[in-house]
Amino acid sequence: MEIWTEKYRPKKLEDVAGQKEAIKRIEAFVKEKSMPHLLFTGPAGTGKTTTALCIARAIYGDDYRQNILELNASDERGIDVVRHKVKDFARLKAFGDVPYKLIYLDESDALTSEAQQALRRTMENYAQTCRFILSCNYSSKIIEPIQSRCSIFRFRPVGKEDLKERLEHIIKEEHVKIDKEAIDKIVELSEGDLRNAVNMLQTAASTGKHIDVKTIFEVTSQANPDEIKKVLQMALTGKFKEARKELEDILIKQGLSGLDVIKQIHNCLVELDLPDKSKVELMDKVGEFEFRMVEGSDERIQLDALLAQFILHGKK
Amino acid sequence: MSFIEKYRPKQTDELLTKKNTETVLSAVKAWKKGSKPLLLYGPTGTGKTSTIHAIAKELGYELIELNASEDRTGDAIKEKALSAATQRSLFGTKKIILLDEIDGLYGRTDRGALPAVTELFEKTIYPVALTAEDAYDQRLRPIRDKCTLVQYAKTNYKSVSNLLEEIMKKEGIDAEKETLDAIALRSGGDIRAALIDLETVTKGRKKLEKKDLDVLSARDSTIKIHDTLKVIFKTMSLAPALDVARNTESTPDEVMLWVAQNLPLEYEGQDLVDAYSMLSRADVFRGRIMQRQHWRFLAYQSQLQTAGVALAKKEKNTKFVQYQMPDILFRMGMSRDARAVRESVAGKIGAYLHSSKNRVKNADLGYIRQIFAKNTEQARKITKKCGFDAKEVAFILTKKDTDSIVKEIMA
């Protein structure tokens, strides 16, 4: 396994980092092999998927892959696809001596509330043969009827000590040469997202050189490229045509969607060399054009129109 | 620079219509006060305007040109054409007066234009040339009777194709003759349309094949769109802009694409910002039409993208602008390709990491890209694990799939 987040993904529930309370209760369910539907809520990189996979391993042993269906609400095109996949999967009897199969639906909050209503019926239809584990970032986006059918677990950002422990384990296994301060920097920058922390570590280690704090900064800044920021700076100097061309090139090369770009513009807005008042005015514009993009039909027109807004703020 | 500009004939021997060129050239050379004006007429894109341009350049005459874009009221014609036609230039340079697209003259905005043209004919001391598509239009009669007529026919497709071939050689693009013939044929003898098509299909390429022509479907009215744009970008008042919204031969969606493409060439500063905002509003209405089939909104889309854009300016750009064909077609195509690769990359990583594509794109891709760039050995292992193809590896590295590093990783 070549990507460390996968290579070092815990296989046992007890190894899941930083979610002691939740894991203890889940272990109890698994032991009795009687489990309600589960709803995991919490930010990215806190162990929701890992926990679901660990549950499957604990219940089914080595055959776990045949008994768990992994779905991603944001990847599947519509609730009908979800329903069909669930139907096909649920029809077959579980492998081995287990009373039910598992369906893990990641990013459930990507489903519209209509789709969630449909999901609720699907959950009821297959309640005899399947258990659902839903995961989401915000439980408030999950409709009440689903919440009430699930046992809800909150996953917290992974604590500093737990993060450090996991990182040090990997550092030892992979023989990574790294400064203490650099480890602390990863812990700090990852903001409780273990996946992000491990990604940082692997990327920093991939050159094979000794890792210091500087390496970590380089890695994180390159992971969030500032090409969009350069385009905005160009627009601020009044070079609209050039900025528009540049933006197009980025869109083509990176395969970004218009909304991806608007998000990036929003993110780097505060870092621009502008008076605070301009920043706030532009913030309003970014929101306005994101709204228009959602409502409108042509992403490029909306992006160019937003980009044009920047040319008025540079000259002041 | 567009092909149309770049390959506009600079000398009369570059023109494809030898006989007409001779007629016009000798008439211009022999012109004296009292000679008849020339009315060049025939289908669009057959070289009428180019003939006058080339002659002016070759003879070293100053070209005074009025075209459909300008407000051609009687006053405007008097102010610009008549004064130039009756005053000798300071250094004795000769002039030639061109009233382009004279059949576009008649409308509400051009009241009083006809007497002004007649006055021009009577008073000019320099040769005057006019162009029109249809010289036998009833409304042109008073003008036609006073002119020497030169008829332009649709250019033979072979000549057009040969011209295209020459251009391809100069551009260093490898093109099959058969494909060029096809472009020439579908242009229907309209050289300008053929050049636009040629540019469309060869942009950013070094090779042109028959299958590349697929993108060309359904754009028959690109010529008329230029006039539509001229009105939108040059007028300062509501009536002509609404007029053009109603009467243009292009679809509202075509107009939108063309306006979007050319807006920054015409407007700047606050005008640009305001005009873009109008266009963006028009697009919101378009989105609502598409999402809800609420066709009533078409009126707003259509009016905002014409009149809204026209009235957004405080000042008009008086310079002539050569409008560009919207390159959104290729860009969308290219960007669609890149998006598809990005999706497949994210899907493959996602399957491996138990993650959604979205999360891979936001959380992992930035790191994996760096690992690929820094460590070929690891890149090779990840590639094997995820089952990337060369195109996907190239995308991750933002390199071409022919690049040696890509080959090394795929090996």
Side-chain angles (χ1 to χ4, degrees):
Chain A
M1 289 202 230
E2 303 317 328
I3 298 179
W4 291 358
T5 51
E6 199 51 41
K7 184 171 178 182
Y8 293 98
R9 190 193 287 281
K11 297 194 171 49
K12 293 185 196 147
L13 280 167
E14 65 200 63
D15 293 335
V16 175
Q19 311 295 347
K20 296 263 164 0
E21 282 311 305
I23 297 299
K24 222 187 272 172
R25 285 171 53 206
I26 291 167
E27 277 176 323
F29 281 137
V30 170
K31 219 171 179 179
E32 292 165 22
K33 294 206 176 180
S34 85
M35 197 176 78
H37 299 308
L38 307 178
L39 174 60
F40 295 170
T41 86
T46 53
K48 299 184 294 296
T49 302
T50 301
T51 303
L53 292 172
C54 286
I55 292 172
R57 272 180 200 272
I59 299 175
Y60 311 119
D62 290 339
D63 284 338
Y64 80 101
R65 279 191 180 276
Q66 283 125 324
N67 286 315
I68 181 166
L69 172 68
E70 284 182 68
L71 292 171
N72 241 299
S74 69
D75 282 358
E76 309 297 343
R77 275 157 307 186
I79 188 66
D80 285 339
V81 180
V82 172
R83 258 199 310 224
H84 280 297
K85 285 194 175 170
V86 168
K87 200 168 128 193
D88 289 344
F89 174 73
R91 229 180 17 208
L92 300 166
K93 218 182 156 301
F95 278 75
D97 177 29
V98 286
Y100 50 79
K101 305 210 265 187
L102 283 181
I103 294 164
Y104 178 58
L105 182 58
D106 201 1
E107 300 185 31
S108 311
D109 42 1
L111 296 175
T112 63
S113 50
E114 290 81 21
Q116 290 187 32
Q117 292 291 355
L119 175 65
R120 184 190 74 166
R121 281 193 294 279
T122 308
M123 288 169 79
E124 279 164 0
N125 291 344
Y126 298 102
Q128 295 295 322
T129 50
C130 295
R131 290 294 175 278
F132 281 79
I133 303 176
L134 309 181
S135 95
C136 63
N137 293 134
Y138 306 101
S139 59
S140 59
K141 286 199 203 157
I142 303 294
I143 59 171
E144 279 294 328
I146 288 185
Q147 288 203 37
S148 79
R149 281 170 174 75
C150 295
S151 180
I152 303 177
F153 294 90
R154 272 178 221 299
F155 284 66
R156 317 253 168 228
V158 181
K160 288 195 172 157
E161 286 312 309
D162 289 314
L163 279 172
K164 215 164 165 179
E165 201 186 307
R166 288 307 294 174
L167 289 174
E168 274 166 352
H169 170 69
I170 297 172
I171 288 164
K172 204 171 130 220
E173 293 286 319
E174 297 286 339
H175 311 290
V176 179
K177 290 178 243 60
I178 181 168
D179 289 346
K180 281 257 169 298
E181 295 74 29
I183 301 178
D184 291 339
K185 191 45 82 180
I186 295 179
V187 168
E188 180 198 325
L189 291 174
S190 67
E191 295 177 331
D193 178 344
L194 182 51
R195 170 194 192 129
N196 198 5
V198 174
N199 272 332
M200 273 185 233
L201 179 66
Q202 181 176 13
T203 307
S206 63
T207 52
K209 293 190 191 117
H210 189 98
I211 302 169
D212 55 16
V213 173
K214 215 177 114 226
T215 325
I216 303 300
F217 276 122
E218 278 166 19
V219 162
T220 47
S221 70
Q222 277 182 38
N224 309 298
D226 58 354
E227 286 164 308
I228 296 291
K229 194 169 155 191
K230 284 182 193 140
V231 168
L232 297 182
Q233 280 159 343
M234 208 183 270
L236 286 172
T237 59
K239 291 185 189 144
F240 179 77
K241 274 179 270 183
E242 292 84 344
R244 178 170 89 148
K245 178 85 187 40
E246 191 68 32
L247 183 63
E248 270 161 22
D249 290 348
I250 295 172
L251 282 172
I252 291 167
K253 230 169 46 197
Q254 310 265 358
L256 298 175
S257 73
L259 284 172
D260 288 337
V261 175
I262 291 229
K263 245 182 254 167
Q264 289 194 30
I265 291 176
H266 185 208
N267 286 340
C268 68
L269 191 57
V270 287
E271 297 164 21
L272 291 173
D273 182 23
L274 278 175
D276 288 351
K277 196 164 183 326
S278 287
K279 287 182 190 175
V280 173
E281 279 170 27
L282 285 169
M283 213 174 272
D284 176 42
K285 295 294 181 194
V286 175
E288 170 67 23
F289 282 95
E290 176 165 350
F291 176 74
R292 291 189 189 185
M293 189 177 284
V294 173
E295 286 287 304
S297 68
D298 186 333
E299 291 186 339
R300 192 196 59 147
I301 286 176
Q302 301 301 345
L303 268 186
D304 289 349
L306 173 57
L307 193 60
Q309 294 287 338
F310 282 77
I311 63 176
L312 295 181
H313 286 272
K315 290 170 196 157
K316 284 173 197 167
Chain B
M1 202 181 357
S2 70
F3 282 180
I4 295 179
E5 270 177 282
K6 199 166 167 187
Y7 296 106
R8 189 184 275 281
K10 286 165 197 70
Q11 290 168 331
T12 51
D13 59 6
E14 291 172 24
L15 290 159
L16 295 184
T17 48
K18 305 285 172 226
K19 206 169 140 244
N20 282 351
T21 309
E22 253 168 55
T23 313
V24 180
L25 184 61
S26 53
V28 170
K29 278 181 175 165
W31 199 92
K32 55 183 190 297
K33 194 167 177 352
S35 297
K36 276 185 170 180
L38 293 158
L39 174 55
L40 283 51
Y41 73 98
T44 175
T46 50
K48 302 183 294 292
T49 308
S50 289
T51 302
I52 302 300
H53 276 250
I55 286 175
K57 201 161 270 174
E58 192 167 286
L59 299 180
Y61 283 21
E62 185 188 349
L63 180 67
I64 310 294
E65 181 176 356
L66 258 80
N67 48 44
S69 61
E70 276 132 309
D71 291 345
R72 291 196 305 192
T73 55
D75 286 345
I77 290 175
K78 275 185 195 162
E79 192 185 308
K80 197 172 170 195
L82 190 60
S83 65
T86 51
Q87 288 165 21
R88 291 199 186 278
S89 72
L90 213 50
F91 303 104
T93 320
K94 288 190 180 170
K95 299 179 195 174
I96 183 164
I97 319 293
L98 173 61
L99 298 185
D100 210 3
E101 302 163 55
I102 195 79
D103 39 4
L105 197 68
Y106 299 89
R108 269 185 293 176
T109 49
D110 292 332
R111 221 188 295 273
L114 199 57
V117 172
T118 317
E119 194 184 342
L120 173 70
F121 285 175
E122 282 159 11
K123 292 188 178 164
T124 183
I125 52 170
Y126 295 113
V128 174
L130 301 83
T131 71
E133 265 185 56
D134 178 10
Y136 292 92
D137 185 319
Q138 267 306 312
R139 292 169 303 184
L140 274 187
R141 207 172 144 195
I143 289 179
R144 182 180 66 227
D145 291 346
K146 296 189 178 76
C147 294
T148 306
L149 267 59
V150 184
Q151 185 183 3
Y152 280 71
K154 287 184 177 173
T155 314
N156 176 296
Y157 89 93
K158 275 285 170 202
S159 315
V160 178
S161 176
N162 290 341
L163 173 71
L164 300 184
E165 194 178 10
E166 244 171 74
I167 291 175
M168 287 295 91
K169 267 187 206 140
K170 284 179 191 156
E171 292 286 319
I173 295 169
D174 184 14
E176 298 162 2
K177 183 69 176 156
E178 197 193 342
T179 311
L180 298 177
D181 282 348
I183 295 176
L185 269 175
R186 50 164 283 134
S187 77
D190 178 341
I191 302 168
R192 181 162 33 188
L195 288 186
I196 291 176
D197 281 353
L198 185 68
E199 188 170 10
T200 306
V201 293
T202 57
K203 200 155 210 172
R205 297 162 177 268
K206 280 285 149 218
K207 202 166 158 47
L208 175 65
E209 293 166 35
K210 190 107 189 215
K211 65 174 171 51
D212 299 330
L213 300 189
D214 292 349
V215 300
L216 288 181
S217 61
R219 49 160 294 276
D220 297 332
S221 50
T222 41
I223 301 308
K224 295 283 183 223
I225 189 80
H226 284 85
D227 300 335
T228 304
L229 291 180
K230 277 188 226 162
V231 174
I232 295 171
F233 289 136
K234 304 290 191 191
T235 191
M236 302 288 290
S237 45
L238 185 62
L242 287 179
D243 227 24
V244 87
R246 225 183 348 259
N247 296 327
T248 180
E249 286 183 24
S250 312
T251 66
D253 290 352
E254 277 174 317
V255 173
M256 174 170 268
L257 287 179
W258 280 84
V259 171
Q261 177 74 25
N262 291 292
L263 192 50
L265 308 184
E266 287 276 14
Y267 291 8
E268 51 185 23
Q270 185 73 51
D271 291 355
L272 180 70
V273 174
D274 293 345
Y276 254 128
S277 196
M278 277 295 171
L279 193 61
S280 140
R281 291 291 303 159
D283 176 61
V284 170
F285 282 110
R286 180 169 186 266
R288 290 173 187 166
I289 295 167
M290 289 174 56
Q291 282 161 25
R292 289 164 221 166
Q293 304 298 309
H294 200 327
W295 287 97
R296 167 84 195 110
F297 286 155
L298 189 61
Y300 301 111
Q301 179 199 334
S302 168
Q303 292 181 350
L304 286 176
Q305 72 192 11
T306 51
V309 170
L311 275 287
K313 61 179 167 297
K314 283 181 215 68
E315 222 177 315
K316 77 172 171 186
N317 174 10
T318 50
K319 283 190 212 112
F320 173 74
V321 172
Q322 180 76 51
Y323 295 123
Q324 295 171 353
M325 158 114 192
D327 42 4
I328 188 157
L329 289 177
F330 336 93
R331 276 191 286 102
M332 265 174 25
M334 279 196 277
S335 153
R336 221 185 350 250
D337 288 351
R339 275 188 211 189
V341 178
R342 189 170 185 249
E343 285 300 305
S344 70
V345 165
K348 285 178 181 178
I349 299 174
Y352 171 41
L353 294 184
H354 306 273
S355 282
S356 71
K357 292 179 195 168
N358 271 340
R359 201 174 297 159
V360 170
K361 284 185 268 186
N362 294 326
D364 302 288
L365 197 53
Y367 292 112
I368 289 170
R369 284 203 143 128
Q370 292 185 66
I371 294 172
F372 266 61
K374 287 173 180 164
N375 191 322
T376 309
E377 193 49 42
Q378 264 183 331
R380 192 178 293 143
K381 284 183 186 165
I382 295 173
T383 298
K384 221 168 152 195
K385 194 87 204 171
C386 294
F388 295 139
D389 60 25
K391 220 171 161 186
E392 290 161 340
V393 171
F395 172 81
I396 293 170
L397 287 162
T398 51
K399 292 258 162 57
K400 290 212 169 79
D401 53 8
T402 48
D403 211 281
S404 60
I405 177 91
V406 176
K407 284 183 184 149
E408 203 180 319
I409 290 171
M410 291 304 294

